[in-house]
């Protein structure tokens, strides 16, 4: 029996406590809350996973996948918002955009970098549902540190490490944030593993929503292959504009991106078959390491997706990925049913370990 998968943890996640998501101009209750990670931690503590504190890592690993301008914006946005008095008047306590550097607005012109925070936000945010508060940057930075610490463990010989990242990251592109995400923890990890091993890496995204961030970051590259299984954006689901089956990569990256959009209501049979398909597809590229973007919002009880996956399904998915036998960093993404999130993550990690056992024993 291989040792329990280490859980990499940062207390800084609690500093990010979004108050509201602005949806079609209406304040709706935030769902990406501290209780999510705390519930996962409690369940994995009970299951005996050893905890490893996240250690600080330099910005270089972030700059490998994100524009410096995005990092500078995120790091300073809250204090500038506060200094501008916006929490008092007009009375918005969190950084929220109002005007966007939309491609249809710009045409061929590069957007300026507006001086006011409330205008500059629209250069970097692609939705209104991802607020920045006083502790958001510290929390997001801590989540990346957790992902990078998990990479350190795997590069030092641990077969697998799980980073309990919060806030999540898989919607963030090179230069823009949204979908409740600020920094792309999984993409940072994949690029770190690729650069250190000097070998191809696979990134497989199980979150119920399309992993558009890594897709965009690695779309024209052959060295990080990206697969995502998610609810069909064409059936009305976030991220709406992306995540279709025809997005297969371009240039040197042609063929290195794979999307498996599923119909709303899809359950274990369909979903697990899709995860297996992604595992086989990725294995053909002969990657030397794997990053799993482990959202558990495909679960039936989750309020943010119409997929109907069970804990057994997550276990079977983990098993299929563990059976690839690759050094693996698992990164937490979505999952919004706090009552079940811990058990779902635990089932995925247990499945992963059992898949791995099969190959280490045989
Ligand atoms: C990391 C992750 O799972 N992000 C997914 C964010 C998806 N949010 C989409 C929200 C779509 C609008 N829902 C309206 C409900 C109003 N509260
Ligand atoms: Zn999601």
């Amino acid at each position: 029996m291989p040792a329990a998968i280490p859980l990499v943890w940062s207390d800084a996640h609690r500093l990010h406590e979004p108050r509201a998501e602005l949806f079609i101009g209406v304040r709706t209750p935030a769902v990406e809350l501290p209780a999510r990670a705390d519930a996962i931690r409690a369940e994995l503590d009970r299951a005996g996973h050893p905890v490893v504190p996240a250690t600080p890592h330099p910005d270089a690993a972030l700059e490998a996948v994100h524009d410096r301008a995005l990092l500078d914006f995120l790091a300073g946005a809250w204090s500038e918002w506060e200094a501008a008095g916006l929490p008092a008047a007009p009375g918005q306590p969190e950084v929220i955009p109002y005007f966007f550097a939309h491609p249809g607005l710009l045409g061929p012109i590069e957007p300026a970098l507006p001086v006011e925070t409330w205008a500059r936000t629209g250069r970097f945010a692609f939705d209104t549902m991802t607020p920045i508060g006083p502790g958001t940057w510290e929390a997001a930075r801590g989540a990346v540190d957790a992902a990078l610490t998990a990479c350190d463990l795997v590069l030092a010989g641990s077969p697998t490490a799980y980073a309990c990242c919060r806030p999540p990251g898989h919607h963030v592109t090179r230069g823009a944030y949204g979908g409740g995400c600020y920094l792309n923890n999984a993409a940072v990890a994949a690029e770190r593993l690729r650069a250190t091993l000097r070998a191809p890496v696979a990134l497989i995204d199980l979150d119920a929503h399309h992993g558009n961030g890594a897709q965009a970051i690695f779309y024209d590259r052959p060295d990080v292959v990206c697969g995502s299984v998610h609810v069909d954006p064409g059936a009305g689901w976030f991220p709406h504009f992306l995540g279709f089956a025809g997005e297969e990569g371009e240039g040197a990256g042609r063929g290195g991106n794979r999307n498996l959009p599923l119909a709303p209501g899809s359950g274990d049979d369909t979903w697990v078959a899709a995860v297996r398909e992604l595992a086989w597809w990725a294995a053909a590229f002969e990657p030397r390491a794997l990053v799993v973007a482990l959202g558990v919002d495909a679960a039936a009880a989750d309020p943010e997706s119409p997929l109907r996956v069970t804990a057994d399904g997550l276990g079977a998915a983990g098993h299929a990925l563990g059976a690839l036998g690759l050094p693996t960093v698992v990164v937490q993404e979505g999952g919004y049913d706090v009552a079940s999130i811990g058990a779902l993550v635990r089932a995925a990690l247990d499945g992963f370990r059992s898949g791995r056992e099969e190959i280490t024993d045989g």
Side-chain angles (χ1 to χ4, degrees), residues 170-171 179 205 207-210 238 295-298 302 304-305 333-336:
H170 76 142
H171 293 304
D205 190 315
D207 189 278
H209 305 99
H210 173 230
F238 191 91
V296 296
D297 43 5
D302 198 280
E304 294 294 310
S305 117
E333 298 289 353
Y336 305 95

Side-chain angles (χ1 to χ4, degrees), residues 21-24 26-32 36 127 129-130 167-171 178-181 207-210 212 236-240 295-297 302-305 332-336:
E21 300 176 348
L22 198 65
F23 174 65
I24 57 170
V26 179
R27 287 175 75 81
T28 63
V31 296
E32 202 290 283
R36 298 177 55 248
D127 67 31
M129 308 202 40
T130 310
H170 76 142
H171 293 304
C181 304
D207 189 278
H209 305 99
H210 173 230
N212 63 286
W237 294 86
F238 191 91
H240 303 289
V296 296
D297 43 5
D302 198 280
E304 294 294 310
S305 117
Q332 186 64 42
E333 298 289 353
Y336 305 95

Side-chain angles (χ1 to χ4, degrees), residues 232-337:
D232 185 0
W237 294 86
F238 191 91
H240 303 289
F241 301 104
L242 295 156
F244 297 92
E247 296 156 20
E248 296 182 333
E250 68 180 23
R254 174 158 294 285
N257 193 82
R258 188 94 194 271
N259 287 330
L260 297 180
L262 304 183
S266 296
D268 283 351
D269 288 359
T270 313
W271 188 80
V272 173
V275 175
R276 290 197 181 112
E277 176 65 26
L278 288 180
W280 295 326
W281 169 81
F285 292 87
E286 301 186 352
R288 289 264 305 280
L290 172 66
V291 174
V292 179
L294 178 64
V296 296
D297 43 5
D302 198 280
E304 294 294 310
S305 117
L307 298 178
R308 305 203 50 82
V309 171
T310 69
D312 285 349
L314 279 154
H319 190 279
L321 296 172
L324 292 175
L326 292 165
T328 300
V329 170
V330 181
V331 172
Q332 186 64 42
E333 298 289 353
Y336 305 95
D337 178 41

Side-chain angles (χ1 to χ4, degrees), residues 55-84:
T55 53
H57 285 69
D59 271 1
L62 284 88
E63 288 170 355
V65 306
H66 292 306
D67 292 340
R68 185 71 238 177
L70 172 65
L71 304 178
D72 288 343
F73 169 77
L74 291 170
W78 165 254
S79 51
E80 290 175 29
W81 192 266
E82 190 186 33

Side-chain angles (χ1 to χ4, degrees), residues 16-289:
H16 174 57
E17 205 167 354
R19 301 196 194 181
E21 300 176 348
L22 198 65
F23 174 65
I24 57 170
V26 179
R27 287 175 75 81
T28 63
V31 296
E32 202 290 283
L33 294 169
R36 298 177 55 248
D38 290 339
I40 295 169
R41 167 76 190 260
E43 179 74 21
L44 296 187
D45 278 351
R46 278 194 291 277
H49 291 259
V51 174
V52 177
T55 53
H57 285 69
D59 271 1
L62 284 88
E63 288 170 355
V65 306
H66 292 306
D67 292 340
R68 185 71 238 177
L70 172 65
L71 304 178
D72 288 343
F73 169 77
L74 291 170
W78 165 254
S79 51
E80 290 175 29
W81 192 266
E82 190 186 33
L86 299 168
Q92 175 51 266
E94 302 179 298
V95 179
I96 307 260
Y98 94 105
F99 180 55
F100 296 89
H102 190 286
L105 170 72
L106 297 166
I109 298 169
E110 272 296 300
L113 196 59
V115 291
E116 298 286 4
T117 317
W118 38 276
R120 199 170 344 128
T121 307
R123 164 87 181 253
F124 300 105
F126 56 70
D127 67 31
T128 61
M129 308 202 40
T130 310
I132 298 172
T136 299
W137 171 249
E138 287 78 1
R141 199 60 182 72
V144 173
D145 283 330
L148 287 167
T149 303
C151 291
D152 294 342
L153 294 174
V154 164
L155 290 166
S158 175
T160 311
Y162 165 72
C164 190
C165 295
R166 183 185 169 269
H170 76 142
H171 293 304
V172 185
T173 64
R174 195 162 252 292
Y177 73 98
C181 304
Y182 305 86
L183 296 169
N184 198 322
N185 309 304
V188 170
E191 172 58 17
R192 171 57 155 271
L193 294 172
R194 185 213 60 79
T196 308
L197 297 169
R198 300 175 176 280
V201 168
L203 196 169
I204 296 182
D205 190 315
L206 306 186
D207 189 278
H209 305 99
H210 173 230
N212 63 286
Q215 167 172 302
I217 290 165
F218 301 115
Y219 207 59
D220 60 357
R221 285 172 48 174
D223 50 0
V224 179
V225 298
C226 297
S228 180
V229 54
H230 46 266
V231 61
D232 185 0
W237 294 86
F238 191 91
H240 303 289
F241 301 104
L242 295 156
F244 297 92
E247 296 156 20
E248 296 182 333
E250 68 180 23
R254 174 158 294 285
N257 193 82
R258 188 94 194 271
N259 287 330
L260 297 180
L262 304 183
S266 296
D268 283 351
D269 288 359
T270 313
W271 188 80
V272 173
V275 175
R276 290 197 181 112
E277 176 65 26
L278 288 180
W280 295 326
W281 169 81
F285 292 87
E286 301 186 352
R288 289 264 305 280

